[in-house]
């Protein structure tokens, strides 16, 4: 789960469709969000005017890295110091590239 914030009125965005089933894509860990899914979600939210993504359980940081690569601000919270360090160093551009090459 992650939160997105915007100063814009986004009510109309609730009427837009978003696929229930999409290709997960490359993942930084087994139960993590796939890069393709994160890219689609962040792109959709950005198109609705969202500018900040907050991931309260960021793990290794795929959501944060992809959001940053898409020019969104991102804030993550992680209890594990090891995963928090990994999240700080994760390269969203490299993740997106690896995902595109994997298709």
């Amino acid at each position: 789960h992650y939160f997105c914030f915007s100063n814009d009125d986004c009510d109309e965005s609730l009427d837009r469709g978003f696929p229930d089933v999409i290709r997960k894509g490359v993942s930084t860990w087994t139960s993590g969000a796939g890069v393709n899914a994160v890219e689609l979600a962040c792109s959709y939210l950005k198109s609705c005017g969202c500018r900040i993504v907050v991931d309260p359980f960021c793990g290794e940081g795929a959501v944060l890295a992809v959001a940053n690569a898409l020019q969104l601000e991102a804030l993550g919270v992680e209890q594990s110091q090891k995963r928090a360090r990994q999240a700080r160093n994760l390269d969203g551009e490299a993740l997106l590239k690896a995902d595109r090459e994997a298709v």
Side-chain angles (χ1 to χ4, degrees), residues 9-38:
D9 181 13
C10 292
D11 290 345
E12 76 281 351
S13 68
L14 298 175
D15 295 332
R16 293 188 215 168
F18 194 78
D20 290 347
V21 179
I22 54 178
R23 183 178 66 81
K24 179 179 177 177
V26 171
S27 185
T28 57
W29 57 299
T30 307
S31 60
V35 173
N36 182 62
V38 170

Side-chain angles (χ1 to χ4, degrees), residues 68-89:
N68 284 159
L70 296 175
Q71 307 304 309
L72 293 165
E73 293 183 51
L75 172 66
V77 178
E78 177 54 51
Q79 184 177 10
S80 164
Q81 290 181 7
K82 178 183 176 184
R83 286 191 178 156
R85 274 191 305 278
Q86 291 169 325
R88 278 188 217 98
N89 297 319

Side-chain angles (χ1 to χ4, degrees), residues 34-94:
V35 173
N36 182 62
V38 170
E39 180 181 20
L40 288 174
C42 286
S43 294
Y44 173 78
L45 294 167
K46 184 176 180 179
S47 75
C48 296
C50 294
R51 298 291 171 242
I52 302 171
V53 175
V54 179
D55 187 350
F57 307 100
C58 71
E60 295 174 351
V63 171
L64 307 175
V66 171
N68 284 159
L70 296 175
Q71 307 304 309
L72 293 165
E73 293 183 51
L75 172 66
V77 178
E78 177 54 51
Q79 184 177 10
S80 164
Q81 290 181 7
K82 178 183 176 184
R83 286 191 178 156
R85 274 191 305 278
Q86 291 169 325
R88 278 188 217 98
N89 297 319
L90 194 58
D91 181 345
E93 294 288 341

